[in-house]
């Protein structure tokens, strides 16, 4: 699981790289809020369609080969941002990276589920890898682009190469468990109504988290201060992921995610309302609260749809980014029409909505697929 988590970090690094690159693209290429948020949309637009489709295929076909290929695509897209030059080519490069990230998650989540035996804590460590990739992105992207400009982006392919090597080694070590063949038929019935409600919860959470990450660096002033705010949010998310697994093992998944969303409301509000260094503190708190439920969404979705684990993984992981990416241009347009502070203030309603929608959810019957051979 540790090696799989490291590979996950190599992929999700590119989700964190996009918002980290935005201040440099704004400065060098003079993009406005709408154009900048359009790149966030490019990174996530295909996820809303592609991840569920790949999840559906993962329920029927052997797609182990897709994991390393998608990792390389994620890195290649970000690497091409600098050479792309024009906005349309830059948008397509970022979209390629988003496509790679989208294709990676359904099959890798099922592989991790099988390797972990379905444990909440073990799955939270796999999710932690992705969050560490998020958190490392501004720390690596900011000094690299500060020194070499956007043209230095080809060097950002390195995490994808390293992650690919580690993941292929892990896949061989576990013998492809969970990464091929037809899933066995399970006795527990699929609960599509509960899964649909969970999907709405995840969409609200995505809008809050992705919307905040797209603009928090600019809101904090850009440069080192902006990178620190973005790192604080991503690092808080990493802590929240591990904390979520531990709390779920003690209190249950549904109770834990309700509490997390209740605490996320004042945390997101603090980013907007508390000036100065308080932005960094509340950015970390918001990241923590919004990521406590992250791995719980994945396992809840798989347990609500035990007969379609790949589909559940594709939808849950796709909605984790796609809903927020789709709404980001609207946030950018509102920021240009009013102010960035007003636009970010609207995000406070999202964790409140997630908490409200989660109230009828109950713990599903657990059914863990057997490892494939």
């Amino acid at each position: 699981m540790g090696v799989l988590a490291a590979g996950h970090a190599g992929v999700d690094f590119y989700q964190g790289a996009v918002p980290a690159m935005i201040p440099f693209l704004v400065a060098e290429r003079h993009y406005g809020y709408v154009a900048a948020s359009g790149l966030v949309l490019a990174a996530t637009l295909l996820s809303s369609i592609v991840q569920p489709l790949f999840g559906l295929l993962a329920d029927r076909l052997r797609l182990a080969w897709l994991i390393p290929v998608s990792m390389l695509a994620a890195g290649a897209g970000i690497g091409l941002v600098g050479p792309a030059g024009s906005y349309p080519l830059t948008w397509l490069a970022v979209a390629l990276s988003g496509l790679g990230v989208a294709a990676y998650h359904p099959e890798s989540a099922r592989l991790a589920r099988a390797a972990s035996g379905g444990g909440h804590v073990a799955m939270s460590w796999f999710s932690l890898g992705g969050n560490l990739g998020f958190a490392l992105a501004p720390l690596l992207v900011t000094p690299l682009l500060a020194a070499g400009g956007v043209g230095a982006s080809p060097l950002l392919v390195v995490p994808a190469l390293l992650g690919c090597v580690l993941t292929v080694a892990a896949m061989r070590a576990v013998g492809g468990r969970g990464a091929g063949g037809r899933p066995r038929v399970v006795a527990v019935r699929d609960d599509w109504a509960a899964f649909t409600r969970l999907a709405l919860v995840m969409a609200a959470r995505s809008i809050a988290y992705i919307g905040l990450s797209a603009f928090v660096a600019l809101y904090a002033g850009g440069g080192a201060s902006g990178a620190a705010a973005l790192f604080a949010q991503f690092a808080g998310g990493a802590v929240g992921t591990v904390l979520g697994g531990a709390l779920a093992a003690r209190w249950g998944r549904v109770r834990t995610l309700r509490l997390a969303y209740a605490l996320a409301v004042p945390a997101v509000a603090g980013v907007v309302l508390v000036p100065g260094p308080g932005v960094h503190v509340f950015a970390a708190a918001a990241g923590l609260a919004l990521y406590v439920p992250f791995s719980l969404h994945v396992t809840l979705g798989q347990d609500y749809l035990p007969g379609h684990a790949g589909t559940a993984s594709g939808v849950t992981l796709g909605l984790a980014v796609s809903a927020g990416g789709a709404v980001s241009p609207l946030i950018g347009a509102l920021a240009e029409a009013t102010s960035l502070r007003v636009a970010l203030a609207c995000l406070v309603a999202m964790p409140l909505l997630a908490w409200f929608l989660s109230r009828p959810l109950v713990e599903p019957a657990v059914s863990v697929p057997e490892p494939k051979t």
Side-chain angles (χ1 to χ4, degrees), residues 1-17 101 104-105 108 122-138 205 209 233-235 237-239 241-242 291 294-295 317 321:
M1 286 301 294
V3 177
L4 287 174
H8 193 187
V11 172
D12 280 5
F13 171 88
Y14 297 102
Q15 293 193 62
V101 171
Y104 166 83
H105 280 103
S108 66
M123 280 299 291
S124 72
W125 282 104
F126 174 72
S127 297
L128 172 64
N131 285 306
L132 289 177
F134 260 115
L136 287 173
R205 178 256 175 209
Y209 190 85
Q233 180 185 341
F234 292 165
V239 174
T241 301
V242 176
Y291 251 98
F294 184 77
S295 65
L317 291 165
V321 295

Side-chain angles (χ1 to χ4, degrees), residues 200-306:
L200 294 174
V201 169
M202 291 183 291
R205 178 256 175 209
S206 175
I207 293 171
Y209 190 85
I210 301 299
L212 190 62
S213 67
F215 295 106
V216 71
L218 289 172
Y219 187 69
S225 179
L230 195 59
F231 172 75
Q233 180 185 341
F234 292 165
V239 174
T241 301
V242 176
L243 186 61
L247 292 176
R250 182 172 182 178
W251 294 343
R253 290 172 289 183
V254 173
R255 183 182 177 187
T256 298
L257 70 85
R258 286 191 195 125
L259 176 62
Y261 285 127
L263 294 175
V265 174
V268 175
V271 174
V272 181
L273 300 176
V274 178
V279 171
H280 301 81
V281 174
F282 280 100
L288 187 151
L290 290 170
Y291 251 98
V292 163
F294 184 77
S295 65
L296 310 184
H297 290 157
V298 178
T299 58
L300 276 170
Q302 291 171 334
D303 288 340
Y304 283 138
L305 300 183

Side-chain angles (χ1 to χ4, degrees), residues 136-179:
L136 287 173
L139 295 183
L140 297 177
V141 171
T142 300
L144 176 65
L145 299 193
V150 178
S153 68
L155 295 174
L156 295 174
V157 176
V158 173
L161 297 175
L162 294 177
C164 186
V165 170
L166 290 172
T167 300
V168 169
M171 291 170 66
R172 290 176 176 173
V174 299
R177 289 178 294 169

Side-chain angles (χ1 to χ4, degrees), residues 2 22 51 53 58 65 78 94 98 111 136 140 144 148 156 169 177 191 232 236 245 271 319 351 361 369 372:
I22 283 177
Q51 287 207 67
L53 287 179
W65 59 268
I78 293 300
V94 173
L111 174 66
L136 287 173
L140 297 177
L144 176 65
L156 295 174
R177 289 178 294 169
D191 188 346
V271 174
L319 279 175
L361 292 177
K372 312 295 186 296

